[in-house]
Amino acid sequence: MPSADPFRRQLLSCALLCGAGLSAPATLWAQAPRYPSRPVRLIVPNAPGSSVDTMGRLVGQQLTPLLGQAMVVDNKAGAAGAVGMDAGKFATPDGYTLIVASSSSTTVAPLLQKAVNYDPLKDFELISLIALLPNVLVCRTSLPVNKLSEFVAYAKAQGGRFNMASAGPGSVSHLAGVALSAAAGFEALHVPYKGGSQSVGSVVSGETDWTLTPAPAAMALVKGGRLKALGHSMPKGTQPLGTVPSIAETLPGFEFASWIGLMAPKGLPAEVIDLLRRQLAQALQSKELRDAFALNGAVPISTTGEAFREFLTRDIEQTRKAVRLAGVQAE
């Protein structure tokens, strides 16, 4: 998440389409009705209106005609995504429960919540990444700043009386906000909410001053003039959000991108994983989905399961370093 590396930059520059060559189906599945024969539950471990929910619903809409069955979104928010991930972990691995996982629920929550009892690398089938998401620094429109350098100067002058909203303790917006304030050298008062839509809404209303949140949760409000966007968290030189500059242009080296991916309970048959991966790759090529992702600042990407695993392994290690540097303690 926080720092760039060659693997991440390779993912950002091109999508690795899903590959074939998976093992033959088990005898049980060879005798079963064609998959899917009924609606598929899509667990979103986040509240409605959050960035993960927005992306998950867009993907579900595109997969529905490709699979020939409805993708029914089931929001299971709580504990920075841990509640939904737990529900997915213990679901029957028959292809009728899938999980829209994210950096918050998959890398951050296990590091910052002692009660989390799942291992993202061992307890799930990794189907494919779906998108890379820049976090965007947004502030209330009444804040007397228009660029990041002014924001930092204003923040330093507040003496810690500068309210930072987040989607909850241990969420990506919490960790990203702490990392930003540490990198810029100012103090902020953390105000946690129950989900990204509530935290972003608090900035819109003026209840809090700012948040560094996944772009899909905020860009529509920025375009509608209800928030100011001061910078995005992808590497310097990238422009996922149009004219919004990179934070790294003002704070060299700062990067804190997020991601979402498709997972399933451990034990899902290989033929179902292969089908879902191929159909997801096709869905991500559609102009409708790519335009919708672009509107929300998301970069669509399709990977093999192996590439997803390598990406996640690196992300966990990088996030562990960021947590340690930020001084955030597990609760």
Side-chain angles (χ1 to χ4, degrees):
M1 290 170 49
S3 60
D5 57 55
F7 184 77
R8 184 182 295 277
R9 292 185 185 277
Q10 181 181 7
L11 285 176
L12 186 60
S13 64
C14 66
L16 304 173
L17 295 180
C18 307
L22 297 176
S23 60
T27 302
L28 176 63
W29 275 85
Q31 298 173 348
R34 179 187 175 278
Y35 171 85
S37 60
R38 54 186 170 85
V40 177
R41 180 172 66 142
L42 196 61
I43 292 178
V44 174
N46 304 76
S50 65
S51 58
V52 180
D53 177 70
T54 299
M55 297 293 100
R57 288 179 186 276
L58 288 169
V59 169
Q61 290 168 7
Q62 290 296 314
L63 283 176
T64 290
L66 294 175
L67 293 173
Q69 292 290 340
M71 304 290 287
V72 182
V73 173
D74 182 7
N75 293 97
K76 288 191 173 298
V83 172
M85 294 298 291
D86 248 357
K89 172 185 174 180
F90 293 109
T92 303
D94 57 5
Y96 292 98
T97 296
L98 304 175
I99 309 137
V100 181
S102 70
S103 41
S104 175
S105 62
T106 310
T107 59
V108 178
L111 291 172
L112 293 183
Q113 298 190 52
K114 295 178 180 178
V116 166
N117 61 358
Y118 55 83
D119 184 323
L121 292 170
K122 296 179 180 179
D123 295 333
F124 302 93
E125 300 292 349
L126 310 183
I127 297 174
S128 172
L129 282 168
I130 293 174
L132 299 180
L133 306 174
N135 292 299
V136 60
L137 173 61
V138 292
C139 67
R140 54 183 171 84
T141 56
S142 59
L143 205 68
V145 302
N146 291 298
K147 56 185 180 181
L148 183 57
S149 58
E150 294 174 349
F151 172 87
V152 172
Y154 181 88
K156 289 180 178 179
Q158 301 311 301
R161 301 182 306 277
F162 199 41
N163 296 334
M164 177 196 81
S166 85
S171 64
V172 167
S173 52
H174 177 204
L175 191 55
V178 169
L180 176 67
S181 59
F186 66 84
E187 295 182 9
L189 177 63
H190 178 215
V191 184
Y193 289 84
K194 294 181 179 179
S197 58
Q198 290 186 26
S199 64
V200 173
S202 75
V203 182
V204 172
S205 69
E207 185 174 83
T208 57
D209 297 311
W210 64 282
T211 187
L212 183 53
T213 187
M219 287 312 295
L221 294 165
V222 171
K223 290 179 172 63
R226 302 179 68 189
L227 287 173
K228 292 181 184 179
L230 303 178
H232 70 76
S233 65
M234 280 191 172
K236 183 178 180 179
T238 59
Q239 290 185 298
L241 303 179
T243 60
V244 179
S246 167
I247 292 172
E249 292 180 19
T250 301
L251 299 175
F254 185 87
E255 181 187 344
F256 213 110
S258 302
W259 58 268
I260 62 172
L262 189 64
M263 294 184 176
K266 192 70 175 178
L268 184 64
E271 69 164 357
V272 179
I273 294 175
D274 184 36
L275 172 65
L276 290 168
R277 186 177 293 140
R278 286 186 285 106
Q279 298 291 42
L280 176 60
Q282 184 176 340
L284 291 173
Q285 291 300 312
S286 72
K287 183 179 185 303
E288 181 180 359
L289 190 58
R290 296 181 80 86
D291 287 348
F293 272 34
L295 183 64
N296 287 283
V299 180
I301 181 167
S302 174
T303 64
T304 63
E306 291 77 12
F308 190 1
R309 179 170 297 278
E310 182 180 350
F311 177 91
L312 179 55
T313 300
R314 290 170 181 259
D315 194 55
I316 291 171
E317 183 55 34
Q318 290 175 352
T319 304
R320 181 179 288 111
K321 291 179 181 177
V323 168
R324 186 165 56 246
L325 288 173
V328 182
Q329 300 295 318
E331 299 178 355

